C-alpha cells in the first residue's frame, strides 16, 4: 500500500486507528501553543532512547551528549514540520540518527560514514557455535561485567548492522519504521537484522555457553 | 525442511510473523534438530538481554543541561 508522501521529513506511516490521537500529539500541540513544560515531558519520556541511539552510533560519550542536546533542540525548532499523523517518537529518532551520523562525519573528517554501505561479511551468517547456553547465563556476571560484555560485543558489529539491531530490537521500531529512518529498503533491513542477531548471538556465546565438567 | 530453510525464517519466527502453517513446520523442524533449537533459543535470548539491560546510562546532569539549553532557546522565541 502506498501512502502519499507529504513533505520531506515525515514519510512515516500513520499510526493505527486514524481517529485515535497519540498522547504525544497532544503534547506537541501544547508546545506549539507555547507551553514549554509539555516539551519537558516529551524530553523526559525519550531522553534515554535518544541518548542510547547516539551512543550506539557515535560510540563516544561526549558526542552522544552533544547529539542528544542537538537532537532535542532541533526537534523543538522543527516542531511545526512534524505531521500529526506520524509518531513523534519515530520522527525524533530520525533526527537523532541524522545528528549522530553528522557528528560522526565531523569527527572522522574526510572519511565517509555511511549506514547504507554494503557490509560484506560471512561472519555469523551460518551459526558455528552451537553449544547451548547456561539457563540464566547473565547471572554468572555482575551487572557491571555484563554491561561491559554487552557493550564490547555490540561495538564489534559493523555500523550498518548495529544501527538496524538497535532501532529494531532495542528501541522497538517496526521493520518499516527502521527502513524509513535509515533510508533502506525493507528487505535490506531484514537481511541486516538477521545477520546482526546471529553475529551477536555468536559472539555472546563465548560468555554464555554452558561450561563443561561442572565448572561455573 | 532443511536447516537453511529454517534459518531463513528464523527472524519471522522470533518476531512472530509467520503463518500458522509455517509455524507448524518450523516447530516440527525444531523438535528434530538440536542445532536449530539452540540457535533459535540463544538468538531469542540475545535480543532479550539487549532489550532488558541498560548498557549506556544517561550521564548525570545531562538532563539539566538540556533543560537549560531548551529554556535559553525558548527565550529567543518559542
Ligand atoms: Zn536444523
Amino acid at each position: 500500500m502506498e501512502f502519499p508522501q507529504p513533505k520531506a521529513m515525515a514519510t512515516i506511516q500513520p499510526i493505527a486507528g486514524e481517529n485515535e490521537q497519540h498522547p504525544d500529539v497532544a503534547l506537541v500541540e501544547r508546545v506549539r501553543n507555547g507551553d514549554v513544560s509539555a516539551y519537558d515531558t516529551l524530553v523526559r519520556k525519550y531522553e534515554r532512547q535518544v541518548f542510547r541511539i547516539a551512543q550506539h552510533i557515535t560510540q563516544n560519550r561526549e558526542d552522544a551528549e552533544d547529539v542528544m542536546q542537538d537532537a532535542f533542540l532541533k526537534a523543538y525548532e522543527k516542531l511545526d514540520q512534524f505531521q500529526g499523523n506520524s509518531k513523534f517518537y519515530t520522527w525524533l529518532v530520525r533526527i537523532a540518527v541524522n545528528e549522530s551520523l553528522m557528528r560522526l562525519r565531523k569527527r572522522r573528517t574526510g572519511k565517509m560514514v555511511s549506514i547504507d554501505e554494503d557490509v560484506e561479511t560471512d561472519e555469523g551468517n551460518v551459526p558455528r557455535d552451537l553449544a547451548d547456553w547456561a539457563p540464566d547465563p547473565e547471572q554468572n556476571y555482575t551487572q557491571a561485567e555484563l554491561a561491559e560484555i554487552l557493550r564490547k560485543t555490540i561495538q564489534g558489529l559493523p555500523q550498518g548492522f548495529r544501527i538496524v539491531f538497535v532501532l529494531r530490537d532495542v528501541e522497538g521500531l517496526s521493520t518499516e519504521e527502521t527502513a524509513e529512518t535509515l533510508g533502506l529498503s525493507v528487505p535490506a533491513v531484514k537481511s541486516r537484522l538477521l545477520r546482526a542477531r546471529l553475529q551477536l548471538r555468536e559472539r555472546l556465546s563465548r560468555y554464555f555457553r554452558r561450561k563443561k565438567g561442572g565448572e561455573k | 525442511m532443511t536447516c537453511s530453510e529454517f534459518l531463513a525464517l528464523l527472524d519471522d519466527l522470533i518476531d512472530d510473523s509467520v503463518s500458522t502453517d509455517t509455524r507448524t513446520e518450523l516447530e516440527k523442524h525444531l523438535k528434530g534438530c538440536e542445532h536449530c533449537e539452540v540457535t533459535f533459543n540463544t538468538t531469542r535470548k540475545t535480543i532479550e538481554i539487549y532489550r532488558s539491560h541498560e548498557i549506556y546510562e544517561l550521564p548525570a546532569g545531562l538532563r539539566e543541561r538540556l533543560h537549560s539549553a531548551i529554556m535559553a532557546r525558548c527565550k529567543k522565541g518559542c
Side-chain angles (χ1 to χ4, degrees):
Chain A
M1 195 161 117
E2 289 268 320
F3 289 99
Q5 303 197 342
K7 273 183 202 157
M9 278 295 291
T11 50
I12 296 156
Q13 294 180 12
I15 49 169
E18 276 172 50
N19 299 320
E20 231 173 89
Q21 205 191 33
H22 192 281
D24 288 354
V25 175
L27 285 168
V28 168
E29 255 333 290
R30 279 174 51 197
V31 183
R32 278 175 177 158
N33 292 327
D35 180 0
V36 199
S37 75
Y39 197 64
D40 264 344
T41 310
L42 285 167
V43 169
R44 232 157 273 248
K45 195 166 168 192
Y46 296 121
E47 57 190 359
R48 281 190 180 71
Q49 289 91 319
V50 168
F51 180 71
R52 264 198 313 252
I53 291 168
Q55 255 295 181
H56 277 296
I57 298 177
T58 64
Q59 315 240 52
N60 176 289
R61 193 177 123 158
E62 268 173 49
D63 282 346
E65 291 190 15
D66 288 348
V67 164
M68 176 171 140
Q69 183 149 324
D70 292 350
F72 275 113
L73 278 175
K74 191 164 262 183
Y76 184 76
E77 281 167 7
K78 289 174 137 189
L79 211 56
D80 52 342
Q81 288 173 31
F82 167 72
Q83 308 273 319
N85 62 348
S86 65
K87 278 193 211 157
F88 176 76
Y89 176 50
T90 34
W91 183 76
L92 179 66
V93 166
R94 181 181 290 201
I95 294 175
V97 168
N98 288 338
E99 288 292 317
S100 303
L101 290 172
M102 246 154 60
R103 176 72 44 160
L104 212 54
R105 284 186 194 113
K106 234 184 255 169
R107 193 166 274 269
R108 303 183 190 165
T109 32
K111 205 176 160 203
M112 266 302 284
V113 179
S114 166
I115 38 155
D116 51 292
E117 71 195 82
D118 210 19
V119 206
E120 278 312 322
T121 161
D122 286 334
E123 193 206 335
N125 293 350
V126 179
R128 279 178 310 214
D129 192 331
L130 294 161
D132 201 1
W133 290 3
D136 287 302
E138 64 270 49
Q139 281 168 17
N140 294 332
Y141 299 93
T142 65
Q143 281 296 321
E145 284 168 345
L146 182 66
E148 182 58 28
I149 290 170
L150 296 177
R151 272 196 297 269
K152 237 171 36 194
T153 303
I154 199 163
Q155 280 171 2
L157 276 191
Q159 173 86 286
F161 290 7
R162 189 169 62 239
I163 303 183
V164 167
F165 179 81
V166 167
L167 294 186
R168 180 66 175 61
D169 278 342
V170 182
E171 306 304 339
L173 267 65
S174 70
T175 305
E176 288 73 19
E177 287 166 345
T178 305
E180 288 226 17
T181 304
L182 301 178
L184 295 168
S185 69
V186 166
V189 167
K190 284 189 167 172
S191 123
R192 282 174 194 211
L193 182 65
L194 176 63
R195 291 194 279 172
R197 285 172 168 179
L198 288 176
Q199 284 191 23
L200 288 175
R201 185 207 81 88
E202 194 82 29
R203 290 164 191 223
L204 286 182
S205 222
R206 223 174 294 165
Y207 304 98
F208 294 160
R209 58 189 305 174
R210 198 191 289 274
K211 301 286 194 311
K212 284 180 220 131
E215 26 160 343
K216 273 206 174 157
Chain B
M1 180 176 279
T2 66
C3 291
S4 17
E5 283 167 342
F6 178 88
L7 210 58
L9 290 165
L10 178 69
D11 270 348
D12 292 332
L13 181 65
I14 288 173
D15 297 333
D16 202 14
S17 57
V18 285
S19 66
T20 324
D21 286 357
T22 314
R23 170 173 293 275
T24 312
E25 271 195 63
L26 289 165
E27 278 166 1
K28 210 173 100 193
H29 181 84
L30 272 185
K31 281 212 180 84
C33 180
E34 207 191 313
H35 283 177
C36 287
E37 199 196 358
V38 168
T39 304
F40 173 63
N41 287 334
T42 53
T43 305
R44 214 165 42 169
K45 184 77 185 170
T46 298
I47 298 165
E48 189 204 307
I49 287 179
Y50 272 104
R51 219 172 259 169
S52 57
H53 289 86
E54 189 68 84
I55 61 173
Y56 295 120
E57 295 289 348
L58 202 64
L62 183 56
R63 172 187 290 165
E64 286 66 32
R65 287 205 297 282
L66 176 60
H67 179 80
S68 324
I70 290 166
M71 293 322 264
R73 171 64 190 76
C74 192
K75 285 210 183 84
K76 287 192 274 168
C78 288

